[in-house]
Amino acid sequence: MIYLDYAATSPVFPAVLEEMNAVSRDLYANPSSLYCAGYAAKRILQESRAALSRSIGAENDEIVFTSGGTEGNNLALFGVLRAAKRGRHLIVGSTEHHSVLFAAQALKQEGFSLTILPCDSNGRYRPEELSGAIRPDTALVSLQLANNETGVLQPIAEIGAITRARRIPLHCDATAAYGHISIDVRALKIDLLTVSAHKLGGPRGIGFLFVRNEIPIVPLFFGGSQERTLRPGTENLPAIAGFARALSCGYIPASAAARDRLEAELHARFPDARVNGADAPRLPHILSLTIPGVPSERLLPLLSAAGICASARAACAGGERTPSHVLTAMGLNRTQAGETIRFSTGFGNKLSEMDEAANEIVFAARHQIYT
Ligand code: PMP
């Protein structure tokens, strides 16, 4: 099997599994307990929090552990808008993950007002268009750092300069980007940042939301005082420690080389194929390719039979039959969106596998054309 769907989820690093196992076995006490075993658990919690906060240039008390990207995005949007005193207007991008877009729609149902920011044909938001969309009552701007279907990076430094100057909190969904590019929340002027562990060799069901001190936010859940009461509930310590361990496993170089090799191979074999977001800066591990005449819903089962795992769009939207909202926002029509396939590489891939995968993809594409 050649796994080319790291953007959907990644295999867990062996060192992460070992760490989680050791923490589950040896540090089972509740980190809030007032005895030595509890203090030992608390120390791991603090060390993990410190490693994760350092990784984005944040303070330790600006990290709120969550169950992953979906929860982080919902907490950011609902939490900031419900806390906002002077505004009820929200701006989100048209190519955001559904955990942002659908949360925004739900907020609209609650009476908040919503603007969806368009993107250009490369999937990039235009900073000047954002400036024009900001209103006196704008309470939050939520734009992703990078897109999970195309890998396209947004001009977040320019966007952050605009929102900070207007004193509007900026939330970035970094679920696709974190672990693949370096992120400094202070330099980028990001106020809230969503991260999930399972895209970078960490466990599923764990992530964090960075919330800059000074940003007003209210919780979605109520209960204990964990995570400064912003996310009550006994901490998932094995997953948190595994997440921190994944950081040190060195993900980036392998994935870029593999993606570039696959992209070059496929480009050579399908000269009329289009790389979505080709003219924009992109994450090093994602390739979104539209191959004219080759519907992905026919190609994917053939690839699967050949042992190649790839996807047509975000895994969370896997069952949907509507065209990808990301690709249509970029101007692709229904047919083109349906002829698009996403390959995403990672630490388990060997360069030689990319040639093998390209051969199988060409074979499967020809097969579906002639049958
Ligand atoms: N945002 C983006 C950009 C994603 O790719 C994903 C995962 N598909 C999520 C949010 C949701 O993250 P999680 O699976 O950790 O809930």
Side-chain angles (χ1 to χ4, degrees):
M1 179 178 104
I2 302 180
Y3 187 72
L4 296 174
D5 206 14
Y6 280 74
T9 195
S10 62
V12 178
F13 283 115
V16 169
L17 288 175
E18 278 165 33
E19 179 78 16
M20 291 174 70
N21 210 6
V23 171
S24 304
R25 190 186 54 228
D26 302 331
L27 294 164
Y28 50 81
N30 191 315
S32 302
S33 293
L34 301 177
Y35 42 77
C36 54
Y39 302 147
K42 188 168 201 158
R43 189 161 53 246
I44 294 294
L45 182 64
Q46 284 167 338
E47 285 170 11
S48 304
R49 191 190 301 282
L52 290 161
S53 64
R54 253 196 322 274
S55 73
I56 56 164
E59 301 294 328
N60 293 350
D61 62 357
E62 293 175 318
I63 300 295
V64 180
F65 286 115
T66 64
S67 64
T70 302
E71 185 185 331
N73 287 339
N74 276 271
L75 176 57
L77 267 65
F78 281 90
V80 169
L81 281 175
R82 286 179 181 164
K85 296 244 169 0
R86 67 178 171 100
R88 294 185 62 80
H89 178 229
L90 166 68
I91 301 175
V92 304
S94 52
T95 66
E96 299 299 310
H97 187 263
H98 281 160
S99 54
V100 168
L101 280 172
F102 292 170
Q105 297 293 356
L107 280 157
K108 193 175 169 193
Q109 296 293 318
E110 282 189 16
F112 290 92
S113 120
L114 174 63
T115 298
I116 300 194
L117 195 70
C119 64
D120 67 15
S121 60
N122 276 297
R124 297 257 287 177
Y125 304 130
R126 299 179 194 88
E128 62 283 7
E129 204 157 353
L130 171 66
S131 291
I134 289 174
R135 309 190 322 208
D137 64 339
T138 303
L140 181 68
V141 171
S142 177
L143 299 173
Q144 64 205 175
L145 209 66
N147 185 266
N148 50 303
E149 290 191 26
T150 60
V152 166
L153 289 156
Q154 295 300 338
I156 288 298
E158 286 165 78
I159 288 168
I162 293 168
T163 49
R164 189 61 60 86
R166 308 279 284 265
R167 294 176 170 273
I168 298 164
L170 170 64
H171 166 245
C172 284
D173 178 4
T175 306
Y178 180 79
H180 300 278
I181 53 166
S182 60
I183 300 170
D184 181 332
V185 288
R186 303 272 178 243
L188 294 170
K189 299 190 167 57
I190 294 170
D191 299 295
L192 301 108
L193 184 96
T194 298
V195 166
S196 182
H198 71 100
K199 311 284 184 175
L200 59 136
R204 287 163 213 194
I206 190 70
F208 67 76
L209 179 69
F210 155 76
V211 186
R212 187 167 71 84
N213 285 327
E214 296 154 44
I215 297 296
I217 183 165
V218 294
L220 301 185
F221 306 144
F222 299 87
S225 59
Q226 294 93 345
E227 303 302 299
R228 298 180 292 136
T229 69
L230 253 179
R231 211 292 192 158
T234 304
E235 300 88 344
N236 186 351
L237 194 62
I240 290 170
F243 183 7
R245 185 73 185 83
L247 265 189
S248 59
C249 287
Y251 195 89
I252 298 164
S255 55
R259 192 280 309 266
D260 292 350
R261 174 82 154 252
L262 185 65
E263 186 167 323
E265 281 290 319
L266 291 177
H267 232 304
R269 318 255 192 122
F270 299 104
D272 57 348
R274 153 197 171 134
V275 174
N276 296 301
D279 297 328
R282 284 181 295 143
L283 288 173
H285 66 299
I286 297 181
L287 165 63
S288 168
L289 194 71
T290 304
I291 312 176
V294 183
S296 59
E297 72 176 14
R298 296 187 66 186
L299 187 61
L300 284 172
L302 294 170
L303 290 183
S304 168
I308 311 278
C309 307
S311 59
R313 55 189 310 185
C316 306
E320 292 176 19
R321 298 193 72 80
T322 50
S324 151
H325 69 283
V326 175
L327 299 173
T328 49
M330 292 167 72
L332 274 71
N333 63 32
R334 231 187 145 82
T335 307
Q336 292 167 322
E339 293 170 340
T340 302
I341 187 157
R342 178 186 72 180
F343 301 102
S344 47
T345 55
F347 61 91
N349 292 135
K350 297 185 191 67
L351 277 184
S352 57
E353 283 178 344
M354 298 303 113
D355 303 341
E356 199 186 316
N359 286 338
E360 292 292 356
I361 294 161
V362 172
F363 184 77
R366 292 212 178 109
H367 184 268
Q368 80 76 37
I369 288 169
Y370 296 124
T371 53

